[in-house]
Short mmCIF file of all heavy atoms in Angstrom, two decimals:
data_model
loop_
_atom_site.label_atom_id
_atom_site.label_comp_id
_atom_site.label_asym_id
_atom_site.label_seq_id
_atom_site.Cartn_x
_atom_site.Cartn_y
_atom_site.Cartn_z
N MET A 23 0.85 -1.16 0.00
CA MET A 23 0.00 0.00 0.00
C MET A 23 0.90 1.23 0.00
O MET A 23 1.80 1.35 0.81
CB MET A 23 -0.87 -0.04 1.26
CG MET A 23 -1.82 1.07 1.35
SD MET A 23 -2.97 1.04 2.76
CE MET A 23 -2.56 -0.35 3.71
N CYS A 24 0.68 2.15 -0.91
CA CYS A 24 1.40 3.40 -0.98
C CYS A 24 0.40 4.54 -0.82
O CYS A 24 -0.80 4.31 -0.75
CB CYS A 24 2.13 3.53 -2.30
SG CYS A 24 3.39 2.27 -2.56
N GLY A 25 0.88 5.76 -0.77
CA GLY A 25 -0.04 6.88 -0.63
C GLY A 25 0.52 8.14 -1.25
O GLY A 25 1.74 8.32 -1.33
N ILE A 26 -0.38 9.01 -1.70
CA ILE A 26 0.02 10.30 -2.25
C ILE A 26 -0.77 11.40 -1.56
O ILE A 26 -1.89 11.20 -1.09
CB ILE A 26 -0.20 10.38 -3.78
CG1 ILE A 26 -1.66 10.15 -4.14
CG2 ILE A 26 0.70 9.40 -4.49
CD1 ILE A 26 -1.97 10.44 -5.59
N VAL A 27 -0.16 12.57 -1.48
CA VAL A 27 -0.81 13.76 -0.93
C VAL A 27 -0.46 14.93 -1.84
O VAL A 27 0.53 14.90 -2.57
CB VAL A 27 -0.33 14.05 0.51
CG1 VAL A 27 -0.81 12.99 1.47
CG2 VAL A 27 1.18 14.18 0.58
N GLY A 28 -1.27 15.96 -1.81
CA GLY A 28 -0.98 17.13 -2.61
C GLY A 28 -1.96 18.25 -2.36
O GLY A 28 -3.03 18.06 -1.78
N PHE A 29 -1.58 19.45 -2.78
CA PHE A 29 -2.46 20.60 -2.70
C PHE A 29 -2.00 21.68 -3.66
O PHE A 29 -0.86 21.70 -4.13
CB PHE A 29 -2.58 21.13 -1.27
CG PHE A 29 -1.31 21.71 -0.70
CD1 PHE A 29 -1.04 23.06 -0.79
CD2 PHE A 29 -0.41 20.90 -0.05
CE1 PHE A 29 0.12 23.60 -0.25
CE2 PHE A 29 0.76 21.42 0.50
CZ PHE A 29 1.01 22.78 0.39
N TYR A 30 -2.92 22.59 -3.94
CA TYR A 30 -2.68 23.74 -4.80
C TYR A 30 -2.85 24.99 -3.95
O TYR A 30 -3.90 25.19 -3.33
CB TYR A 30 -3.69 23.74 -5.95
CG TYR A 30 -3.61 24.94 -6.85
CD1 TYR A 30 -2.75 24.95 -7.93
CD2 TYR A 30 -4.40 26.06 -6.63
CE1 TYR A 30 -2.67 26.04 -8.76
CE2 TYR A 30 -4.32 27.16 -7.45
CZ TYR A 30 -3.45 27.15 -8.53
OH TYR A 30 -3.37 28.23 -9.34
N SER A 31 -1.81 25.83 -3.91
CA SER A 31 -1.87 27.03 -3.07
C SER A 31 -0.70 27.94 -3.42
O SER A 31 0.29 27.51 -4.00
CB SER A 31 -1.80 26.64 -1.60
OG SER A 31 -1.72 27.78 -0.77
N GLU A 32 -0.83 29.19 -3.03
CA GLU A 32 0.29 30.13 -3.18
C GLU A 32 1.02 30.34 -1.86
O GLU A 32 1.78 31.29 -1.72
CB GLU A 32 -0.23 31.44 -3.76
CG GLU A 32 -0.72 31.26 -5.19
CD GLU A 32 -1.10 32.57 -5.87
OE1 GLU A 32 -0.69 33.64 -5.41
OE2 GLU A 32 -1.80 32.48 -6.89
N GLU A 33 0.81 29.43 -0.90
CA GLU A 33 1.53 29.46 0.38
C GLU A 33 3.03 29.47 0.12
O GLU A 33 3.52 28.85 -0.81
CB GLU A 33 1.21 28.22 1.21
CG GLU A 33 -0.09 28.25 1.94
CD GLU A 33 -0.07 29.14 3.16
OE1 GLU A 33 0.99 29.30 3.80
OE2 GLU A 33 -1.13 29.69 3.46
N LYS A 34 3.77 30.12 0.99
CA LYS A 34 5.23 30.18 0.83
C LYS A 34 5.94 28.96 1.41
O LYS A 34 7.01 28.60 0.97
CB LYS A 34 5.78 31.45 1.50
CG LYS A 34 5.24 32.72 0.90
CD LYS A 34 5.70 32.87 -0.53
CE LYS A 34 5.20 34.19 -1.09
NZ LYS A 34 5.19 34.22 -2.52
N ASN A 35 5.35 28.31 2.41
CA ASN A 35 6.02 27.19 3.09
C ASN A 35 5.44 25.84 2.65
O ASN A 35 5.22 24.95 3.48
CB ASN A 35 5.92 27.36 4.60
CG ASN A 35 4.48 27.40 5.09
OD1 ASN A 35 3.56 27.64 4.33
ND2 ASN A 35 4.30 27.18 6.38
N LYS A 36 5.23 25.67 1.36
CA LYS A 36 4.64 24.43 0.84
C LYS A 36 5.46 23.20 1.18
O LYS A 36 4.90 22.14 1.45
CB LYS A 36 4.45 24.54 -0.68
CG LYS A 36 3.25 25.35 -1.08
CD LYS A 36 2.98 25.27 -2.54
CE LYS A 36 3.87 26.10 -3.38
NZ LYS A 36 3.98 27.50 -3.08
N GLU A 37 6.77 23.30 1.17
CA GLU A 37 7.61 22.13 1.43
C GLU A 37 7.39 21.58 2.84
O GLU A 37 7.24 20.38 3.03
CB GLU A 37 9.09 22.46 1.23
CG GLU A 37 9.98 21.24 1.29
CD GLU A 37 11.39 21.53 0.86
OE1 GLU A 37 11.60 22.43 0.03
OE2 GLU A 37 12.29 20.82 1.34
N ALA A 38 7.32 22.45 3.82
CA ALA A 38 7.07 22.01 5.20
C ALA A 38 5.68 21.39 5.33
O ALA A 38 5.50 20.37 6.01
CB ALA A 38 7.23 23.17 6.16
N ILE A 39 4.70 21.99 4.67
CA ILE A 39 3.33 21.49 4.75
C ILE A 39 3.21 20.11 4.10
O ILE A 39 2.62 19.20 4.67
CB ILE A 39 2.35 22.48 4.09
CG1 ILE A 39 2.31 23.79 4.89
CG2 ILE A 39 0.96 21.88 3.98
CD1 ILE A 39 1.59 24.92 4.18
N ILE A 40 3.79 19.95 2.91
CA ILE A 40 3.66 18.67 2.20
C ILE A 40 4.40 17.55 2.94
O ILE A 40 3.95 16.41 2.98
CB ILE A 40 4.08 18.78 0.71
CG1 ILE A 40 3.46 17.65 -0.10
CG2 ILE A 40 5.58 18.79 0.55
CD1 ILE A 40 1.99 17.74 -0.28
N LYS A 41 5.52 17.86 3.55
CA LYS A 41 6.23 16.86 4.34
C LYS A 41 5.40 16.43 5.55
O LYS A 41 5.34 15.25 5.89
CB LYS A 41 7.60 17.38 4.79
CG LYS A 41 8.60 17.42 3.67
CD LYS A 41 9.95 17.91 4.15
CE LYS A 41 10.94 17.92 3.00
NZ LYS A 41 12.27 18.35 3.43
N LYS A 42 4.75 17.38 6.19
CA LYS A 42 3.89 17.06 7.33
C LYS A 42 2.71 16.20 6.89
O LYS A 42 2.32 15.25 7.57
CB LYS A 42 3.40 18.35 7.99
CG LYS A 42 2.75 18.15 9.31
CD LYS A 42 2.48 19.49 9.98
CE LYS A 42 1.97 19.30 11.38
NZ LYS A 42 1.75 20.55 12.07
N MET A 43 2.13 16.52 5.73
CA MET A 43 1.03 15.72 5.19
C MET A 43 1.49 14.30 4.90
O MET A 43 0.80 13.33 5.23
CB MET A 43 0.48 16.37 3.92
CG MET A 43 -0.27 17.66 4.17
SD MET A 43 -0.72 18.53 2.65
CE MET A 43 -1.94 17.42 1.96
N ALA A 44 2.66 14.16 4.29
CA ALA A 44 3.18 12.82 3.96
C ALA A 44 3.51 12.04 5.24
O ALA A 44 3.33 10.82 5.28
CB ALA A 44 4.41 12.93 3.06
N ASP A 45 3.97 12.73 6.26
CA ASP A 45 4.26 12.06 7.53
C ASP A 45 2.99 11.49 8.16
O ASP A 45 3.03 10.47 8.84
CB ASP A 45 4.94 13.01 8.51
CG ASP A 45 6.39 13.26 8.17
OD1 ASP A 45 6.95 12.51 7.35
OD2 ASP A 45 6.97 14.21 8.74
N ARG A 46 1.86 12.13 7.91
CA ARG A 46 0.58 11.65 8.46
C ARG A 46 0.17 10.32 7.85
O ARG A 46 -0.61 9.58 8.43
CB ARG A 46 -0.53 12.67 8.22
CG ARG A 46 -0.39 13.99 8.95
CD ARG A 46 -0.63 13.88 10.44
NE ARG A 46 -1.87 13.22 10.78
CZ ARG A 46 -2.96 13.81 11.19
NH1 ARG A 46 -3.00 15.12 11.28
NH2 ARG A 46 -4.02 13.11 11.51
N ILE A 47 0.67 10.00 6.64
CA ILE A 47 0.32 8.72 6.00
C ILE A 47 1.53 7.79 5.93
O ILE A 47 1.58 6.89 5.12
CB ILE A 47 -0.29 8.94 4.59
CG1 ILE A 47 0.71 9.60 3.65
CG2 ILE A 47 -1.58 9.71 4.68
CD1 ILE A 47 0.31 9.53 2.19
N LYS A 48 2.49 7.99 6.82
CA LYS A 48 3.70 7.16 6.82
C LYS A 48 3.36 5.67 6.98
O LYS A 48 4.07 4.82 6.45
CB LYS A 48 4.64 7.60 7.94
CG LYS A 48 5.98 6.90 7.89
CD LYS A 48 6.94 7.48 8.89
CE LYS A 48 8.29 6.81 8.71
NZ LYS A 48 9.32 7.46 9.51
N HIS A 49 2.29 5.35 7.66
CA HIS A 49 1.88 3.96 7.84
C HIS A 49 1.52 3.31 6.51
O HIS A 49 1.56 2.10 6.38
CB HIS A 49 0.67 3.88 8.79
CG HIS A 49 -0.54 4.58 8.27
ND1 HIS A 49 -0.69 5.96 8.35
CD2 HIS A 49 -1.63 4.11 7.65
CE1 HIS A 49 -1.85 6.29 7.80
NE2 HIS A 49 -2.44 5.20 7.37
N ARG A 50 1.22 4.10 5.49
CA ARG A 50 0.88 3.56 4.17
C ARG A 50 2.12 3.20 3.36
O ARG A 50 2.03 2.47 2.38
CB ARG A 50 0.04 4.56 3.40
CG ARG A 50 -1.30 4.77 4.04
CD ARG A 50 -2.20 5.47 3.11
NE ARG A 50 -2.38 4.67 1.93
CZ ARG A 50 -3.55 4.37 1.39
NH1 ARG A 50 -4.64 4.79 1.95
NH2 ARG A 50 -3.62 3.66 0.29
N GLY A 51 3.27 3.75 3.74
CA GLY A 51 4.49 3.48 3.00
C GLY A 51 5.72 3.95 3.74
O GLY A 51 6.21 5.05 3.51
N PRO A 52 6.23 3.15 4.67
CA PRO A 52 7.37 3.57 5.48
C PRO A 52 8.73 3.39 4.80
O PRO A 52 9.75 3.78 5.37
CB PRO A 52 7.27 2.66 6.70
CG PRO A 52 6.64 1.41 6.17
CD PRO A 52 5.67 1.87 5.12
N ASP A 53 8.76 2.84 3.58
CA ASP A 53 10.04 2.50 2.95
C ASP A 53 10.63 3.59 2.06
O ASP A 53 11.75 3.47 1.60
CB ASP A 53 9.89 1.22 2.13
CG ASP A 53 9.49 0.05 3.00
OD1 ASP A 53 10.03 -0.07 4.12
OD2 ASP A 53 8.63 -0.73 2.58
N GLY A 54 9.89 4.63 1.80
CA GLY A 54 10.43 5.69 0.97
C GLY A 54 9.45 6.84 0.85
O GLY A 54 8.27 6.70 1.15
N ASP A 55 9.98 7.97 0.44
CA ASP A 55 9.13 9.14 0.25
C ASP A 55 9.73 10.02 -0.83
O ASP A 55 10.88 9.88 -1.21
CB ASP A 55 8.96 9.93 1.54
CG ASP A 55 10.27 10.42 2.13
OD1 ASP A 55 11.35 10.07 1.60
OD2 ASP A 55 10.23 11.15 3.12
N GLY A 56 8.92 10.93 -1.33
CA GLY A 56 9.37 11.87 -2.34
C GLY A 56 8.47 13.09 -2.34
O GLY A 56 7.30 13.02 -1.95
N TYR A 57 9.03 14.23 -2.76
CA TYR A 57 8.30 15.49 -2.72
C TYR A 57 8.58 16.30 -3.98
O TYR A 57 9.67 16.22 -4.54
CB TYR A 57 8.72 16.32 -1.51
CG TYR A 57 8.68 15.55 -0.23
CD1 TYR A 57 9.83 14.99 0.30
CD2 TYR A 57 7.49 15.35 0.44
CE1 TYR A 57 9.80 14.26 1.47
CE2 TYR A 57 7.44 14.64 1.61
CZ TYR A 57 8.60 14.09 2.12
OH TYR A 57 8.57 13.36 3.27
N TYR A 58 7.60 17.09 -4.36
CA TYR A 58 7.77 18.04 -5.46
C TYR A 58 6.99 19.30 -5.09
O TYR A 58 5.84 19.22 -4.67
CB TYR A 58 7.22 17.48 -6.77
CG TYR A 58 7.18 18.53 -7.86
CD1 TYR A 58 8.32 18.83 -8.59
CD2 TYR A 58 6.01 19.22 -8.14
CE1 TYR A 58 8.29 19.81 -9.56
CE2 TYR A 58 5.98 20.19 -9.12
CZ TYR A 58 7.12 20.48 -9.82
OH TYR A 58 7.10 21.46 -10.78
N THR A 59 7.64 20.45 -5.22
CA THR A 59 6.95 21.72 -5.00
C THR A 59 7.36 22.71 -6.08
O THR A 59 8.48 22.67 -6.59
CB THR A 59 7.28 22.33 -3.62
OG1 THR A 59 8.68 22.54 -3.52
CG2 THR A 59 6.82 21.43 -2.49
N ASP A 60 6.43 23.56 -6.44
CA ASP A 60 6.75 24.71 -7.28
C ASP A 60 5.96 25.91 -6.74
O ASP A 60 5.55 25.90 -5.59
CB ASP A 60 6.51 24.43 -8.76
CG ASP A 60 5.05 24.23 -9.13
OD1 ASP A 60 4.16 24.58 -8.35
OD2 ASP A 60 4.81 23.72 -10.24
N GLU A 61 5.73 26.92 -7.56
CA GLU A 61 5.10 28.15 -7.08
C GLU A 61 3.67 27.93 -6.57
O GLU A 61 3.21 28.64 -5.69
CB GLU A 61 5.08 29.22 -8.18
CG GLU A 61 6.44 29.71 -8.58
CD GLU A 61 7.13 28.77 -9.57
OE1 GLU A 61 6.43 28.02 -10.29
OE2 GLU A 61 8.37 28.76 -9.60
N LYS A 62 2.94 26.97 -7.14
CA LYS A 62 1.53 26.80 -6.79
C LYS A 62 1.11 25.39 -6.41
O LYS A 62 0.01 25.20 -5.92
CB LYS A 62 0.66 27.28 -7.94
CG LYS A 62 0.83 28.76 -8.21
CD LYS A 62 -0.14 29.25 -9.23
CE LYS A 62 0.09 30.74 -9.43
NZ LYS A 62 -0.87 31.34 -10.30
N VAL A 63 1.96 24.40 -6.62
CA VAL A 63 1.58 23.01 -6.39
C VAL A 63 2.59 22.32 -5.48
O VAL A 63 3.78 22.58 -5.55
CB VAL A 63 1.51 22.24 -7.74
CG1 VAL A 63 1.26 20.77 -7.53
CG2 VAL A 63 0.44 22.83 -8.63
N ALA A 64 2.08 21.44 -4.63
CA ALA A 64 2.94 20.59 -3.80
C ALA A 64 2.41 19.17 -3.86
O ALA A 64 1.21 18.94 -3.71
CB ALA A 64 2.96 21.09 -2.36
N LEU A 65 3.32 18.22 -4.11
CA LEU A 65 2.96 16.80 -4.16
C LEU A 65 3.93 16.02 -3.27
O LEU A 65 5.11 16.34 -3.20
CB LEU A 65 3.07 16.26 -5.59
CG LEU A 65 2.19 16.91 -6.65
CD1 LEU A 65 2.59 16.44 -8.02
CD2 LEU A 65 0.74 16.61 -6.37
N GLY A 66 3.41 14.99 -2.65
CA GLY A 66 4.25 14.11 -1.84
C GLY A 66 3.74 12.69 -1.97
O GLY A 66 2.57 12.46 -2.28
N GLN A 67 4.63 11.73 -1.73
CA GLN A 67 4.21 10.34 -1.79
C GLN A 67 5.02 9.50 -0.81
O GLN A 67 6.12 9.85 -0.45
CB GLN A 67 4.33 9.80 -3.22
CG GLN A 67 5.74 9.68 -3.74
CD GLN A 67 6.31 8.29 -3.55
OE1 GLN A 67 5.59 7.34 -3.34
NE2 GLN A 67 7.61 8.18 -3.60
N ARG A 68 4.40 8.41 -0.37
CA ARG A 68 5.04 7.43 0.50
C ARG A 68 5.05 6.10 -0.23
O ARG A 68 4.10 5.77 -0.92
CB ARG A 68 4.27 7.27 1.81
CG ARG A 68 4.14 8.53 2.64
CD ARG A 68 5.43 9.04 3.17
NE ARG A 68 6.16 8.02 3.89
CZ ARG A 68 7.22 8.24 4.65
NH1 ARG A 68 7.68 9.44 4.79
NH2 ARG A 68 7.82 7.25 5.26
N ARG A 69 6.13 5.34 -0.07
CA ARG A 69 6.30 4.09 -0.81
C ARG A 69 6.43 2.91 0.15
O ARG A 69 7.16 2.97 1.14
CB ARG A 69 7.55 4.16 -1.67
CG ARG A 69 7.84 2.88 -2.43
CD ARG A 69 9.01 3.10 -3.38
NE ARG A 69 9.24 1.90 -4.16
CZ ARG A 69 10.12 0.96 -3.86
NH1 ARG A 69 10.87 1.08 -2.78
NH2 ARG A 69 10.27 -0.09 -4.62
N LEU A 70 5.73 1.85 -0.17
CA LEU A 70 5.84 0.59 0.56
C LEU A 70 6.48 -0.44 -0.35
O LEU A 70 5.97 -0.72 -1.43
CB LEU A 70 4.47 0.10 1.01
CG LEU A 70 4.44 -1.26 1.70
CD1 LEU A 70 5.25 -1.23 2.99
CD2 LEU A 70 3.01 -1.68 1.96
N SER A 71 7.61 -0.99 0.06
CA SER A 71 8.30 -2.03 -0.71
C SER A 71 7.82 -3.39 -0.21
O SER A 71 8.13 -3.78 0.90
CB SER A 71 9.81 -1.93 -0.53
OG SER A 71 10.27 -0.69 -0.99
N ILE A 72 7.08 -4.09 -1.04
CA ILE A 72 6.53 -5.37 -0.62
C ILE A 72 7.44 -6.52 -1.05
O ILE A 72 7.81 -7.36 -0.25
CB ILE A 72 5.12 -5.58 -1.21
CG1 ILE A 72 4.19 -4.53 -0.63
CG2 ILE A 72 4.60 -6.98 -0.91
CD1 ILE A 72 2.82 -4.51 -1.24
N ILE A 73 7.84 -6.55 -2.31
CA ILE A 73 8.63 -7.66 -2.83
C ILE A 73 10.10 -7.28 -2.99
O ILE A 73 10.98 -7.96 -2.51
CB ILE A 73 8.06 -8.15 -4.18
CG1 ILE A 73 6.65 -8.68 -3.97
CG2 ILE A 73 8.96 -9.20 -4.80
CD1 ILE A 73 5.91 -9.02 -5.24
N ASP A 74 10.35 -6.18 -3.65
CA ASP A 74 11.72 -5.79 -3.97
C ASP A 74 12.02 -4.43 -3.39
O ASP A 74 11.32 -3.47 -3.66
CB ASP A 74 11.89 -5.76 -5.50
CG ASP A 74 13.34 -5.74 -5.90
OD1 ASP A 74 14.21 -5.61 -5.01
OD2 ASP A 74 13.61 -5.86 -7.10
N ILE A 75 13.06 -4.35 -2.58
CA ILE A 75 13.41 -3.07 -1.97
C ILE A 75 14.69 -2.49 -2.59
O ILE A 75 15.41 -1.73 -1.96
CB ILE A 75 13.56 -3.20 -0.44
CG1 ILE A 75 14.59 -4.26 -0.07
CG2 ILE A 75 12.22 -3.50 0.20
CD1 ILE A 75 14.92 -4.31 1.41
N GLU A 76 14.95 -2.83 -3.84
CA GLU A 76 16.12 -2.30 -4.53
C GLU A 76 16.01 -0.78 -4.66
O GLU A 76 14.96 -0.24 -4.90
CB GLU A 76 16.24 -2.92 -5.93
CG GLU A 76 16.53 -4.40 -5.92
CD GLU A 76 17.88 -4.73 -5.29
OE1 GLU A 76 18.83 -3.96 -5.46
OE2 GLU A 76 17.95 -5.76 -4.62
N ARG A 77 17.11 -0.10 -4.51
CA ARG A 77 17.14 1.37 -4.55
C ARG A 77 16.70 1.89 -5.91
O ARG A 77 16.04 2.93 -6.00
CB ARG A 77 18.55 1.86 -4.23
CG ARG A 77 18.66 3.35 -4.17
CD ARG A 77 18.00 3.86 -2.90
NE ARG A 77 17.97 5.30 -2.96
CZ ARG A 77 16.95 6.03 -2.58
NH1 ARG A 77 15.89 5.48 -2.09
NH2 ARG A 77 17.01 7.33 -2.66
N TRP A 78 16.99 1.21 -7.01
CA TRP A 78 16.64 1.70 -8.34
C TRP A 78 15.14 1.71 -8.57
O TRP A 78 14.66 2.37 -9.48
CB TRP A 78 17.36 0.91 -9.44
CG TRP A 78 16.91 -0.52 -9.55
CD1 TRP A 78 17.42 -1.59 -8.90
CD2 TRP A 78 15.87 -1.02 -10.37
NE1 TRP A 78 16.77 -2.73 -9.26
CE2 TRP A 78 15.79 -2.42 -10.17
CE3 TRP A 78 14.97 -0.45 -11.26
CZ2 TRP A 78 14.87 -3.22 -10.81
CZ3 TRP A 78 14.05 -1.26 -11.91
CH2 TRP A 78 14.01 -2.63 -11.68
N GLN A 79 14.38 1.01 -7.74
CA GLN A 79 12.93 1.01 -7.87
C GLN A 79 12.28 2.04 -6.95
O GLN A 79 11.07 2.07 -6.82
CB GLN A 79 12.37 -0.36 -7.57
CG GLN A 79 12.74 -1.38 -8.61
CD GLN A 79 12.14 -2.74 -8.30
OE1 GLN A 79 11.74 -3.00 -7.18
NE2 GLN A 79 12.10 -3.58 -9.29
N ALA A 80 13.07 2.88 -6.36
CA ALA A 80 12.55 3.87 -5.42
C ALA A 80 11.69 4.92 -6.13
O ALA A 80 11.58 4.92 -7.35
CB ALA A 80 13.71 4.54 -4.68
N THR A 81 11.16 5.78 -5.36
CA THR A 81 10.22 6.80 -5.81
C THR A 81 10.67 7.57 -7.06
O THR A 81 11.85 7.80 -7.24
CB THR A 81 9.93 7.78 -4.67
OG1 THR A 81 9.03 8.76 -5.14
CG2 THR A 81 11.18 8.45 -4.19
N ASN A 82 9.72 7.95 -7.87
CA ASN A 82 10.04 8.78 -9.03
C ASN A 82 9.65 10.22 -8.81
O ASN A 82 9.67 11.02 -9.73
CB ASN A 82 9.37 8.23 -10.30
CG ASN A 82 7.87 8.17 -10.16
OD1 ASN A 82 7.32 8.46 -9.13
ND2 ASN A 82 7.21 7.79 -11.22
N VAL A 83 9.29 10.60 -7.59
CA VAL A 83 9.06 11.99 -7.23
C VAL A 83 10.33 12.49 -6.61
O VAL A 83 10.85 11.90 -5.67
CB VAL A 83 7.88 12.14 -6.24
CG1 VAL A 83 7.70 13.59 -5.84
CG2 VAL A 83 6.60 11.59 -6.85
N TYR A 84 10.87 13.56 -7.13
CA TYR A 84 12.18 14.05 -6.69
C TYR A 84 12.06 15.12 -5.64
O TYR A 84 11.18 15.97 -5.69
CB TYR A 84 12.97 14.60 -7.88
CG TYR A 84 13.21 13.55 -8.91
CD1 TYR A 84 12.43 13.47 -10.04
CD2 TYR A 84 14.21 12.61 -8.72
CE1 TYR A 84 12.64 12.49 -10.99
CE2 TYR A 84 14.43 11.62 -9.67
CZ TYR A 84 13.64 11.58 -10.80
OH TYR A 84 13.85 10.60 -11.72
N ARG A 85 13.00 15.11 -4.69
CA ARG A 85 13.05 16.16 -3.67
C ARG A 85 13.68 17.41 -4.28
O ARG A 85 14.63 17.32 -5.04
CB ARG A 85 13.88 15.70 -2.49
CG ARG A 85 13.25 14.58 -1.74
CD ARG A 85 14.09 14.30 -0.49
NE ARG A 85 13.46 13.26 0.26
CZ ARG A 85 13.85 12.01 0.28
NH1 ARG A 85 14.88 11.63 -0.40
NH2 ARG A 85 13.22 11.12 0.99
N ARG A 86 13.14 18.55 -3.88
CA ARG A 86 13.73 19.83 -4.31
C ARG A 86 14.22 20.59 -3.13
O ARG A 86 13.66 20.60 -2.10
CB ARG A 86 12.68 20.68 -5.01
CG ARG A 86 12.46 20.31 -6.42
CD ARG A 86 11.46 21.25 -6.98
NE ARG A 86 11.98 21.69 -8.25
CZ ARG A 86 11.37 22.58 -8.97
NH1 ARG A 86 10.30 23.16 -8.58
NH2 ARG A 86 11.86 22.92 -10.12
#
């Protein structure tokens, strides 16, 4: 089970907010996380490795 979070806003501290949101769903994916923010959008995701925990299969959302 994995999870995603996101929001649209012109808030200045989007990175802190999206990390806090992703931490709230850590139980859905404790094996990895990723974040993306720009001027108006913030996305975050949590990853659960069930079968293969190889690093190359890690999240495709990049930290900024």
Side-chain angles (χ1 to χ4, degrees):
M23 182 176 3
C24 297
I26 59 171
V27 292
F29 66 93
Y30 176 87
S31 175
E32 293 186 18
E33 280 285 329
K34 299 295 183 200
N35 60 342
K36 282 188 282 306
E37 189 170 331
I39 294 169
I40 201 69
K41 286 182 180 182
K42 192 172 186 178
M43 290 172 68
D45 285 346
R46 295 288 308 257
I47 63 166
K48 187 173 185 172
H49 62 281
R50 294 194 61 130
D53 299 319
D55 59 354
Y57 309 98
Y58 170 82
T59 59
D60 67 15
E61 294 81 25
K62 296 187 179 186
V63 174
L65 300 170
Q67 67 95 18
R68 300 294 307 192
R69 178 174 183 264
L70 175 63
S71 299
I72 296 173
I73 297 172
D74 195 353
I75 57 173
E76 294 296 324
R77 184 73 187 139
W78 67 270
Q79 292 181 342
T81 179
N82 59 356
V83 178
Y84 299 100
R85 293 186 177 103
R86 279 183 134 184

